[in-house]
């Protein structure tokens, strides 16, 4: 019976190892933390989910805010690479903001005192965070890097609050849209409204905007993206190759020569060359609810130090749906507790114990 007994002990050790693997995968989040790479794309797709994608649209992992909000909207990165993401509408009573580290680990909720909804974020050179609110008070809120409230600005609005915001390099002039036909400006240093930036009304409803390093502005304008020069004149229109319902989110690429935008309903993402207007790339990110947020790691923002441009992978304008992996990467987004690699430790302990059983058995046979 000694041979069968050894087989039983080996089977038990194997079962224990498998149990540890299952438990580790169910409870550990350290393995889910994948460092961001310059050029990676982040898409807010709803139901608390933000998808971390490669520059060509391949899914790397899914981040979870844990929020009950229907939509994940405007996002921004601080100088250390932490990701800030707004969440609003649906199952949450007020707007929310969540903060992730630069590997996808959820640090937690950021800030407080939000009104009905939050939609956009801008971060200044000192690390202070501005949050735009389309509903409720419609005020723009200011926090320090720890989330402590510093100020609020009762900005003039059009159709819908302080919808999408961006901060100029002077650290004072806040540009924003209000789901109307204008690009507003507000001086957050003197707490006073300024003249609108655009010379003429924009052709359609305006959403996300980004200030260009040369002083112009890109605006997501429902059916296309509009470029305004440094004097506020409409000088270029970028029209996607695919039919769109609402061009909504927008961000600048780290290369300094291109930008990204997306259709809130279809989930189609587009990358354009700024100077020539050529569509460089398109892929689809099937949303849970909507593609309401789009960010790029290392993105150019004039209010923060300019990142070192890194060329993006070569791409064509041919639509290419996001590949569906055989098994989706596990959802990240929990605080990283650090510590030892417990799976390796457990496996080692089991291996040592199993080896001891075998040696003991052999010793008994020798005797």
């Amino acid at each position: 019976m000694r041979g069968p007994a050894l087989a039983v002990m080996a089977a038990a050790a194997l079962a224990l190892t498998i149990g540890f693997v299952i438990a580790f995968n169910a409870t550990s989040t350290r393995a889910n933390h994948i460092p961001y790479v310059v050029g990676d794309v982040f898409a807010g797709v709803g139901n608390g989910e933000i998808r971390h994608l490669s520059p060509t649209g391949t899914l790397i992992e899914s981040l979870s805010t844990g929020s009950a909000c229907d939509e994940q909207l405007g996002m921004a990165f601080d100088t250390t690479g932490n990701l800030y993401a707004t969440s609003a509408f649906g199952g949450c009573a007020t707007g929310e903001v969540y903060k992730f580290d630069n590997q996808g680990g959820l640090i937690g909720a950021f800030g407080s005192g939000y009104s009905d909804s939050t939609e956009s974020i801008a971060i200044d050179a000192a690390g202070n965070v501005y949050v735009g609110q389309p509903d409720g008070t419609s005020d723009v809120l200011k926090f320090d890097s720890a989330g402590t409230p510093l100020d609020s600005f009762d900005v003039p609005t059009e159709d819908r609050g302080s919808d999408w915001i961006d901060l100029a390099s002077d650290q004072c002039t806040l540009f924003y849209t209000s789901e109307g036909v204008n690009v507003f400006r507000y001086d957050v240093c003197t707490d006073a409204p300024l003249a609108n930036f655009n010379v003429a009304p924009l052709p359609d409803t305006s959403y996300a905007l980004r200030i260009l390093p040369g002083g112009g502005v890109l605006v997501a304008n429902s059916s296309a993206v509009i470029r305004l020069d440094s004097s506020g004149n409409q000088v270029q229109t970028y029209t996607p190759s695919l039919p769109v319902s609402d061009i909504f989110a927008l961000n600048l690429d780290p290369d300094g020569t291109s930008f990204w935008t997306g259709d809130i309903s279809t989930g189609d993402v587009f990358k354009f060359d700024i100077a020539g207007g050529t569509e460089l790339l398109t892929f689809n990110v099937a949303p849970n609810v909507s593609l309401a947020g789009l960010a790029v790691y290392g993105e150019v923002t004039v209010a923060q130090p300019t990142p070192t441009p890194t060329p993006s992978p070569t791409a064509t304008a041919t639509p290419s749906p996001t590949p569906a992996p055989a098994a989706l990467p596990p959802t990240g987004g929990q605080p990283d507790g650090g510590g030892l690699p417990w799976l390796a430790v457990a496996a080692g302990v089991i291996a040592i114990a199993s080896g001891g059983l075998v040696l003991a058995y052999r010793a008994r046979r020798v005797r």
Side-chain angles (χ1 to χ4, degrees):
M1 296 299 290
R2 287 175 179 174
L6 181 59
V8 170
M9 286 187 291
L14 177 61
L16 188 57
T17 301
I18 293 172
F20 268 103
V21 170
I22 293 172
F24 178 83
N25 286 334
T27 60
S28 174
T29 60
R30 185 178 179 84
N32 301 340
H33 297 337
I34 300 176
Y36 309 155
V37 175
V38 171
D40 284 354
V41 178
F42 292 77
V45 294
N47 290 342
E49 183 184 2
I50 298 169
R51 291 185 193 148
H52 176 189
L53 310 166
S54 76
T56 54
T58 301
L59 179 64
I60 296 173
E61 68 170 322
S62 291
L63 311 183
S64 175
T65 63
S67 171
C69 297
D70 281 357
E71 293 186 326
Q72 281 59 59
L73 304 110
M75 294 175 274
F77 298 92
D78 62 22
T79 55
T80 60
N82 295 318
L83 173 66
Y84 298 73
T86 59
S87 291
F89 312 118
C92 48
T94 66
E96 301 170 350
V97 176
Y98 292 91
K99 183 178 180 180
F100 294 85
D101 65 23
N102 59 11
Q103 298 185 66
L106 179 63
I107 295 173
F110 177 87
S112 60
Y114 301 115
S115 190
D116 292 2
S117 56
T118 54
E119 191 153 325
S120 54
I121 292 182
I123 302 176
D124 67 17
N128 298 312
V129 177
Y130 294 81
V131 178
Q133 302 185 111
D135 305 306
T137 66
S138 297
D139 290 351
V140 174
L141 304 182
K142 181 181 180 180
F143 303 89
D144 67 15
S145 59
T148 303
L150 296 178
D151 210 340
S152 64
F153 305 96
D154 184 15
V155 300
T157 61
E158 199 168 8
D159 292 346
R160 197 167 181 196
S162 53
D163 201 50
W164 287 85
I165 64 174
D166 197 14
L167 187 66
S169 57
D170 65 8
Q171 306 296 305
C172 290
T173 307
L174 188 78
F175 287 62
Y176 64 100
T177 59
S178 188
E179 294 199 10
V181 295
N182 292 300
V183 174
F184 291 86
R185 291 185 297 178
Y186 194 91
D187 191 326
V188 295
C189 295
T190 63
D191 199 3
L194 302 171
N196 290 351
F197 179 70
N198 54 304
V199 173
L202 297 175
D204 212 332
T205 303
S206 300
Y207 299 110
L209 80 166
R210 275 293 177 262
I211 303 169
L212 295 167
V217 173
L218 291 172
V219 186
N221 194 238
S222 297
S223 60
V225 172
I226 305 294
R227 181 166 72 88
L228 305 174
D229 65 15
S230 58
S231 299
N233 300 298
Q234 298 177 38
V235 294
Q236 196 165 3
T237 300
Y238 307 85
T239 304
S241 60
L242 301 176
V244 296
S245 60
D246 253 335
I247 292 295
F248 191 74
L250 185 148
N251 251 305
L252 300 177
D253 192 83
D255 64 13
T257 65
S258 60
F259 71 88
W260 297 78
T261 190
D263 187 326
I264 190 171
S265 298
T266 65
D268 288 327
V269 174
F270 307 93
K271 183 181 182 182
F272 283 91
D273 176 72
I274 296 173
T278 304
E279 184 180 285
L280 303 173
L281 170 69
T282 180
F283 56 80
N284 182 264
V285 182
N288 300 323
V289 178
S290 62
L291 178 63
L294 198 63
V296 186
Y297 188 62
E299 62 199 22
V300 175
T301 57
V302 297
Q304 294 189 59
T306 303
T308 301
T310 300
S312 298
T314 302
T316 67
T318 304
S320 54
T322 303
L328 291 177
T331 299
Q334 297 298 322
D336 183 2
L340 296 173
W342 297 111
L343 179 59
V345 173
V349 170
I350 293 169
I352 293 171
S354 299
L357 289 172
V358 172
L359 291 174
Y361 171 72
R362 288 178 177 174
R364 289 184 62 190
R365 292 196 64 180
V366 169
R367 287 196 297 270

